[in-house]
Amino acid sequence: MASVENDDGTVKYGIVGVGMMGREHLINLYHLRSQNVGVVAIADPHVPSQQLAVELAQSFGWHLEVFSGHRELLDSGLCDVVVVSSPNMTHYRILMDIINHPKPHHVLVEKPLCTTVADCKKVVDAARRRTDMLVQVGLEYRYMPPVAKLIEVVKGGAVGQVKMVAIREHRFPFLVKVDNWNRFNANTGGTLVEKCCHFFDLMKLFAGANPVRVMASGAIDVNHKDEVYDGKVPDIIDNAYVIVEFDNGSRGMLDLCMFAEGSKNEQEISVVGDVGKGEAFVPESLVRFGTRVAGRDGVQTLKAEDRRIKYDGLHHGSSYLEHLTFLSAVRAKGEKAPAVDLQDGLISVAIGVAAQLSIEKGQFVTIQEVMDEHYG
């Protein structure tokens, strides 16, 4: 495993893609400065994004080398770690260039890993040859304090053998991104890949099993219908129900609505086992759990907090904890695996792709079909 610490002990980061999420990573890394990290370079072809990132870094007292392309950043030799936060459809090419570069760079890539299963598989295969690199996928919802607490409750056996995982996300529409790239399935992989890979990752984690088949129903009912870009109307769905069956007999269900701003919580997660039930609520940051024997009166409620968080940001502190965990793995020099690895990234995309296909076909789609690309 390649050493990342420079003579002064600093781990030097580069960020590829400094739109909204790229700048969010920049802020999180600034709040990690006590861990002896620094952002030294950025790459982005969009000049206004470059300028915003440079201004932000200057306010932190950081000087950034600015590149228009990721290859120039890699060739500069300035960085030990690269954060990939560019648009979804660019991830594959950027990741392959990082993996194939002579200098090893550890990588934190934003979700989704790639927009297609085929591209994810190529990245997974290529990365196997680079034992001198770590690659972690940015499925950071695992780190949101109420979700992390619920994971702890479930993994500790409080609900027994998990049978059902229900996740509701009721939220606002997709935000405006550079050149409106996120309005089209061809760029994002589809809403159930772009947004919901987070939730499919959580389902798999709670179930402790592998997905087998997926059934979904969804549509474009409210959002973006009056928008036109280069003569094209957006084709991303804004609501869906998705059922995921796992190989241990458990099931997951996603209830997604992206025109539900009138919600107290954006995410509500319920995990039911043969002994009890646990729930997490975001952003209320509450966790509830109880057993069948104790009944309603025995349900416990607690406020979930993580005192390590120094910056809440856009995702309730989860991005900060993600960086903290990733940095720990990087500094362990191969003795610690990434907390969310490429296989996790691949499976979360595969479930999303299967769900998108299920909506198109009006029938169950197996994960094997998607992994083998036997569909059409």
Side-chain angles (χ1 to χ4, degrees):
M1 182 64 61
S3 175
V4 294
E5 296 192 326
N6 296 278
D7 292 342
D8 62 356
T10 304
V11 178
K12 296 180 178 179
Y13 283 70
I15 302 177
V16 177
V18 286
M20 184 185 72
M21 269 314 299
R23 296 194 297 276
E24 176 76 355
H25 283 294
L26 181 61
I27 299 169
N28 273 282
L29 287 164
Y30 172 70
H31 283 86
L32 271 168
R33 64 193 181 281
S34 64
Q35 302 288 324
N36 215 6
V37 304
V39 178
V40 298
I42 60 169
D44 197 311
H46 188 246
V47 174
S49 294
Q50 290 178 6
Q51 292 170 338
L52 288 169
V54 167
E55 290 168 9
L56 188 60
Q58 286 174 343
S59 74
F60 300 154
W62 283 351
H63 169 75
L64 298 180
E65 292 295 327
V66 179
F67 302 95
S68 59
H70 66 278
R71 292 185 184 91
E72 292 86 348
L73 181 146
L74 297 174
D75 289 342
S76 74
L78 292 171
C79 307
D80 310 304
V81 178
V82 177
V83 177
V84 178
S85 45
S86 55
N88 300 1
M89 68 285 189
T90 67
H91 287 188
Y92 169 70
R93 185 68 268 155
I94 292 168
L95 287 170
M96 291 301 280
D97 286 343
I98 296 171
I99 292 166
N100 292 322
H101 198 272
K103 174 181 164 64
H105 297 84
H106 302 300
V107 186
L108 176 63
V109 56
E110 264 299 334
K111 60 77 194 166
L113 174 57
C114 298
T115 57
T116 68
V117 170
D119 284 351
C120 288
K121 287 168 69 176
K122 289 174 192 170
V123 169
V124 171
D125 289 342
R128 284 198 186 104
R129 299 192 296 272
R130 292 301 299 258
T131 56
D132 53 351
M133 290 173 52
L134 285 179
V135 185
Q136 179 163 315
V137 182
L139 293 163
E140 81 278 357
Y141 279 36
R142 294 178 177 214
Y143 299 110
M144 287 183 181
V147 179
K149 183 62 181 178
L150 182 59
I151 292 169
E152 180 187 315
V153 166
V154 171
K155 296 304 181 185
V159 304
Q161 179 66 44
V162 172
K163 299 298 181 184
M164 303 176 76
V165 181
I167 301 178
R168 169 181 288 166
E169 179 169 67
H170 282 194
R171 56 164 279 171
F172 48 88
F174 279 121
L175 300 173
V176 175
K177 298 292 182 77
V178 174
D179 295 330
N180 301 291
W181 68 265
N182 64 337
R183 296 303 196 250
F184 298 96
N185 290 329
N187 296 334
T188 68
T191 299
L192 299 178
V193 172
E194 145 59 28
K195 184 72 197 72
C196 301
C197 58
H198 277 304
F199 306 121
F200 301 137
D201 175 60
L202 290 177
M203 284 181 192
K204 179 176 178 290
L205 190 61
F206 282 122
N210 290 309
V212 176
R213 64 175 190 163
V214 179
M215 179 66 193
S217 174
I220 313 165
D221 286 331
V222 175
N223 297 340
H224 316 305
K225 298 178 79 166
D226 57 351
E227 299 173 16
V228 180
Y229 305 100
D230 296 327
K232 297 177 182 176
V233 176
D235 59 359
I236 48 170
I237 64 172
D238 59 16
N239 70 100
Y241 291 117
V242 182
I243 296 169
V244 183
E245 296 181 345
F246 291 89
D247 61 7
N248 65 353
S250 61
R251 294 180 183 81
M253 182 192 72
L254 172 68
D255 166 2
L256 174 73
C257 181
M258 300 193 67
F259 45 90
E261 294 92 329
S263 303
K264 188 172 183 64
N265 284 296
E266 196 170 309
Q267 289 96 24
E268 300 178 3
I269 302 174
S270 166
V271 182
V272 186
D274 56 359
V275 171
K277 173 182 175 179
E279 297 175 281
F281 302 89
V282 181
E284 274 189 300
S285 207
L286 294 178
V287 176
R288 294 196 183 104
F289 53 96
T291 63
R292 297 174 68 190
V293 171
R296 183 175 294 131
D297 292 340
V299 173
Q300 300 177 56
T301 301
L302 58 86
K303 186 82 171 176
E305 296 177 320
D306 192 319
R307 297 186 183 280
R308 294 174 298 168
I309 296 170
K310 294 184 179 178
Y311 173 67
D312 283 337
L314 300 176
H315 299 107
H316 313 291
S318 61
S319 294
Y320 180 89
L321 295 174
E322 171 185 57
H323 273 289
L324 196 63
T325 306
F326 179 57
L327 179 63
S328 174
V330 166
R331 283 201 160 121
K333 300 177 182 177
E335 293 179 12
K336 188 184 292 186
V340 188
D341 63 20
L342 287 170
Q343 192 66 22
D344 295 319
L346 166 62
I347 296 300
S348 68
V349 168
I351 298 173
V353 167
Q356 294 278 154
L357 277 169
S358 177
I359 291 171
E360 291 175 25
K361 298 169 74 163
Q363 62 189 47
F364 269 105
V365 173
T366 68
I367 295 299
Q368 196 63 53
E369 283 177 74
V370 170
M371 295 295 276
D372 294 343
E373 299 171 83
H374 292 159
Y375 54 83

